[in-house]
Amino acid sequence: MPYETMECVGFAEAKNRLSALTTSANETGLPFVITKNNKPWVEVRPLASQQRQSGAVAIAPVRREVAVPDLDDVFAGYEGGFVAHEDGFAGAVGSEAM
């Protein structure tokens, strides 16, 4: 389900109503999105019913794409190198053991 069609709740409201929101998600089976600065931040969905324990929910970050030119600005002047990881992310050279 794309997050645009889900109920969206601001971060402050979610903080104040998290218990009620997660109870509703468990009862209805419908996920919801928590936004931060009016942008999707995390998606909260109930765990699959065969795996779910009473009251359990899963919280997953919403992945966003970052334009490569923006990263060039962030790392301008960085003299180290980067190595690509299998998950599609890159880390500083020497961070492979982390």
Side-chain angles (χ1 to χ4, degrees):
M1 175 184 286
Y3 72 85
E4 294 88 358
T5 63
M6 296 181 204
E7 177 185 5
C8 291
V9 180
F11 182 77
E13 181 183 354
K15 185 176 119 180
N16 293 329
R17 297 185 44 227
L18 189 59
S19 180
L21 290 166
T22 55
T23 297
S24 175
N26 266 304
E27 290 173 353
T28 64
L30 296 174
F32 64 94
V33 173
I34 297 175
T35 60
K36 191 170 186 181
N37 298 322
N38 294 319
K39 295 180 184 167
W41 191 42
V42 294
E43 177 182 322
V44 179
R45 65 176 53 247
L47 296 175
S49 58
Q50 66 269 24
Q51 298 172 346
R52 182 169 61 189
Q53 298 174 357
S54 178
V57 295
I59 300 175
V62 176
R63 291 203 175 259
R64 294 184 213 67
E65 293 184 17
V66 177
V68 174
D70 295 341
L71 292 177
D72 291 339
D73 292 340
V74 170
F75 293 105
Y78 179 74
E79 296 180 11
F82 291 93
V83 60
H85 296 285
E86 289 181 20
D87 62 5
F89 292 93
V93 171
S95 67
E96 297 88 357
M98 290 184 177

